[in-house]
């Protein structure tokens, strides 16, 4: 177990918004709280109960910063992984790999959406997630259940100076969620947005982290589920156990939707 600062969101009388790239435009008010983080390697967790699971997963991608190599190989790997882990009828990868780097890296902020997410959040509200699932649903199909998953991997080696923390979905209540606008801003393109959830502090939250992840491990966590209704708050945090000269974190995140058909 480690005690670290988790950045929560302060409740306000306005609707918060945050941007993928220009964080100077964010209106989320941060509420930093010291919280206990359990060592996820010492407890049992499943995607359908806590909402997350660490698995062994060897990728054929040699360089995760090679966009073409990732696009050629990694989506199929993620589909196979999630099919095996979830028992879904079909899995569809919904976005290219998202590379993120801790602020100490020279690459932080140089690529689109490449900064760590520094306040606890869930990527999309249940309503937004349903819309995304409908948009990706193959023609002629009807779902009995859908779930959105993120698959997160560090490829910078251990230890990670800014690892990812995930919160046991069973410890989260609907009252902890604050609806916000997630805005994707890229130079030369129009901004686009959707509704997401940022997280207010609750001392009952059970946070977990997985120390010293290797490139051959993947953290699967759920951001929506039409049946279980247990999305997982997650956040990047400063690891108090890393030495000052620790190399910067580099990670890749893949997003996918799984369907169970009628």
């Amino acid at each position: 177990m480690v005690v670290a600062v988790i950045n929560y969101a302060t409740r306000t009388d306005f609707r918060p918004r945050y941007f993928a790239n220009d964080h100077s435009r964010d209106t989320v008010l941060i509420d930093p709280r010291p919280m206990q983080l359990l060592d996820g390697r010492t407890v049992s967790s499943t995607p359908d109960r806590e909402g997350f699971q660490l698995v062994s997963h060897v990728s054929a991608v040699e360089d995760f910063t090679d966009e073409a190599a990732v696009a050629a190989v990694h989506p199929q790997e993620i589909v196979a992984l999630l099919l095996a882990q979830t028992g879904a009828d079909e899995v569809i990868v919904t976005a290219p790999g998202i590379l993120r780097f801790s602020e100490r890296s020279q690459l932080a902020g140089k690529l689109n959406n490449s900064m760590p997410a520094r306040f606890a959040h869930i990527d999309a509200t249940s309503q937004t997630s349903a819309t995304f699932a409908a948009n990706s649903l193959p023609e002629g199909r009807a779902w009995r259940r859908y779930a959105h998953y993120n698959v997160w991997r560090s490829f910078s080696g251990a230890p990670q100076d800014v690892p990812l923390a995930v919160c046991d979905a069973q410890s989260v209540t609907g009252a902890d969620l604050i609806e916000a606008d997630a805005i994707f801003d890229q130079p030369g393109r129009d901004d686009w947005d959707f509704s997401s959830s940022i997280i207010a502090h609750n001392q009952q939250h059970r946070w977990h982290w997985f120390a010293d992840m290797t490139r051959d491990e993947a953290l699967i966590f759920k951001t929506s589920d039409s049946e279980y209704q247990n999305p997982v708050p997650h956040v990047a945090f400063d690891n108090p156990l890393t030495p000052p000269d620790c190399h910067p974190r580099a990670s890749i995140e893949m997003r996918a939707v799984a369907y169970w058909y009628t």
Side-chain angles (χ1 to χ4, degrees), residues 93-115:
V93 171
T94 56
I98 301 172
L99 294 171
R100 289 203 172 100
F101 307 90
S102 74
E103 290 86 351
R104 294 172 56 247
S105 169
Q106 294 182 347
L107 293 174
K110 298 296 177 62
L111 305 175
N112 181 42
N113 196 17
S114 61
M115 298 289 285

Side-chain angles (χ1 to χ4, degrees), residues 102-104 159-163 237-240 242-243 246-249:
S102 74
E103 290 86 351
R104 294 172 56 247
Q160 286 87 47
D161 60 341
V162 183
F237 71 99
D238 291 318
N239 181 0
T242 52
C246 174
H247 52 262
R249 159 197 146 184

Side-chain angles (χ1 to χ4, degrees), residues 18-152:
Y18 59 93
F19 292 78
N21 294 299
D22 185 2
H23 297 300
S24 70
R25 300 165 68 189
D26 291 357
T27 64
V28 177
L29 300 183
I30 300 301
D31 179 17
R33 301 286 185 121
M35 298 290 287
Q36 293 183 349
L37 281 72
L38 298 175
D39 180 353
R41 298 182 188 275
T42 66
V43 299
S44 173
S45 61
T46 69
D48 283 345
R49 190 176 61 233
E50 292 82 5
F52 59 87
Q53 186 175 22
L54 184 72
V55 298
S56 297
H57 186 244
V58 178
S59 172
V61 178
E62 295 184 0
D63 179 4
F64 284 108
T65 65
D66 184 336
E67 184 177 343
V70 170
V73 175
H74 208 37
Q76 298 94 312
E77 294 178 330
I78 297 303
V79 167
L81 172 64
L82 290 176
L83 284 173
Q85 293 295 321
T86 67
D89 295 316
E90 186 166 11
V91 170
I92 297 173
V93 171
T94 56
I98 301 172
L99 294 171
R100 289 203 172 100
F101 307 90
S102 74
E103 290 86 351
R104 294 172 56 247
S105 169
Q106 294 182 347
L107 293 174
K110 298 296 177 62
L111 305 175
N112 181 42
N113 196 17
S114 61
M115 298 289 285
R118 282 294 192 164
F119 49 85
H121 67 287
I122 297 169
D123 293 345
T125 63
S126 58
Q127 295 87 349
T128 299
S129 296
T131 299
F132 288 167
N135 290 344
S136 297
L137 183 69
E139 186 175 354
R141 288 289 197 175
W143 71 59
R144 170 175 57 84
R145 172 191 173 196
Y146 69 82
H148 291 273
Y149 294 91
N150 287 5
V151 181
W152 189 90

Side-chain angles (χ1 to χ4, degrees), residues 238-257:
D238 291 318
N239 181 0
L241 303 181
T242 52
D245 59 350
C246 174
H247 52 262
R249 159 197 146 184
S251 64
I252 184 168
E253 177 181 309
M254 301 292 290
R255 298 181 179 183
V257 57

Side-chain angles (χ1 to χ4, degrees), residues 197-218:
S197 296
I198 54 180
I199 313 301
H201 174 255
N202 182 336
Q203 196 60 40
Q204 301 306 310
H205 288 162
R206 295 190 294 272
W207 288 96
H208 297 69
W209 74 304
F210 295 87
D212 299 339
M213 283 181 61
T214 73
R215 76 185 320 275
D216 294 334
E217 294 179 309

